[in-house]
Amino acid sequence: MGLIRQETVGFLRWLSGQWTKKSEGVSVVRNSKAVLFDNNPGRNAQTVGIARELGTDIDLIHEPSVGVVGNKGDSQCYLGVQRKVEAIQECLRQKIGGGGEQMRMRLVQPEYTVATSDGMRNGTREMRYSLIGREVTHDTVCEHLSASGLEGTIAVVACDKPPVGTLSALLEHDRPSIIMSDGPIRPGTDSVTKERIDIITGFQVAGSDDEEMKKRVACEACPGYGSCGGMFTYNTMQTFIAVVGMEPLHMVSPPSDDLRRMEQFPNELVTHLEKLIELDLTPRDIVNRDSIRNAMIVSMAVGGSTNVLLHGPEIARAAGFGNFAEDIMSFEEFNYLSEHVVPVLIDARPFGIYSMVDIDKKGGIQVIVKELLEAGLLNGDTLTCTGETLAKQVARLDPNGPDGEVIYTVENPYKPTGGLRVLGGNLSPEFSAVLKLAGVEGGLENNIFRGKARVFNSESALLETLEKQPEVFENNDMVIVRYEGPSGAPGMPEMLDSTSRITTLCREKNIVVGLMTDARFSGGSVGLVIGHVGPEAALGGPLALVEDGDEIIVDLNTNELNCTEISDPGTLNTRKSSWERVVADNGGTHPSIGIVDSRLLNRMRRTAVSAVFGAGMHPDRVLWVKNLREPVKTDFVPTNKYRAGSGRVF
């Protein structure tokens, strides 16, 4: 095949020698990979049986398939998914039939993915499965889409890794699809202090001696159901998915228990899907270079999670782009936009006060998108799953302007600079290290941190020290946690437990303690925390060579992360030789890497690619891309009209 597809709608698609076919009422593409059942009675037996049990016309069993998928797991994040999937399934069932206004399609039964709970597993060995859950979700959805030959899919997504895995599978399958967020959880209220609390509150009080208070917070922090409510990774990625075009903007912010998600949105989703099928508008038509760039800019503007620097490249890969930095946005441009062009527009947890529920009350993320569009920061011509451009979707929704308390204007923002920064230097030669600047609470003098290394070869060792010897931590310590990267852990766990305890320690002792790791962080983490440092220690990256007491310099003027001692070639070579001897004596791996006790963990250890490519699992650590495409560059340059000369071309 090897064809570079045009990024327009309405052209004839080349699919293994088969062309667009018009059916009655709906335009359908006969995908060569679709399972189009013939008259074999063996295959038909179950196909007829499913149609009968689902209440659909058995005469439609040879038509292209349509269905619903949902994310499920063992936390409150997923409790509302099934009822929404069932509501959408019923809307589809009513819409499908042989009439002129109906969809002539075969309805398949809903399918669900599985995932672990980040909140319950943070700080434990089981947290290794968190990022892996993105990969498992991708594989599960991919198998379902491909084996079922789905020509139209609606996905209900929850938590933060499964939505990315779901979108990645939809992009690779590349048939008309649309996503709906299950929705955020409402915040809790402390019955004594009357303050708003959430799951992050629970982690931040973990080190307290007040057992009664800790129990109270545990019981009151997460009422109801839904995914984490602050601008943590879940809401960062839901906003990303909507801005990239795969989810209607107004479906992001309402809470999970909002009646709109059961009574209004299902019909809208089915209507949109029907239009996508009619236009033959697929995820790769929607998700292109400019739409991904839009989504990254909005992630900066909401002070989003550092995990977007893992998930953004994975989404780009699934969309057909082989190198995020080269094809989508260089790290130099990313930092320029964050430093000079894109402000933070919301006062939201974990760095602020409010939650996504409050953003919804003020009009939803469409308010933010409209404000960024009008300021010149987003390309409004990108296509979306509603069949409209981003600008036209916002115009139709017609949101109010920012309220100035929860959502701010670009002219008078909550914070003048974007929330994320990517760092290079001798500790991060891959230019992979990421800092959530919006969450930094102190430690920077003239944009520089200078301190000494305090090294731990596992997160468990750090947590034990924080629990039993908190007094050993001193002002301007830079905690190093290594051998917790994609291959080392394996699984690249997030360190919400560690960062929360360090934050509490710093506030109590009025000191600054940073944390640097080849692992990653929760979107709820705050403080001077730097993740994704690469190459990771398990693969011989410079982080493996740092020793206790080394000088660590974080310079945000140059966007570098350096260790003074290993800048000396002699010291570097001596330490590297010593590390290599330890590895050789241990049979080829460092003794500090994590234990592999399942086939899935072993797969991650042997196949994980670098964080700059999304830290996913790929054969032989070589990034796999289906139908590689060239990025189509437009003339659009992100510009802040309130900052003269901000529109710089890279």
Side-chain angles (χ1 to χ4, degrees), residues 545-564:
L545 310 181
V546 179
E547 297 182 356
D548 279 328
D550 283 356
E551 183 182 55
I552 304 296
I553 302 173
V554 182
D555 190 338
L556 299 185
N557 300 305
T558 61
N559 293 315
E560 288 190 345
L561 178 64
N562 289 306
C563 173
T564 302

Side-chain angles (χ1 to χ4, degrees), residues 54 67-70 82 85-86 89 107-112 144:
L54 294 180
V68 190
V69 298
Q82 184 169 338
V85 167
E86 291 171 351
Q89 178 83 349
L107 182 65
V108 305
Q109 55 189 324
E111 189 63 84
Y112 296 94
H144 177 62

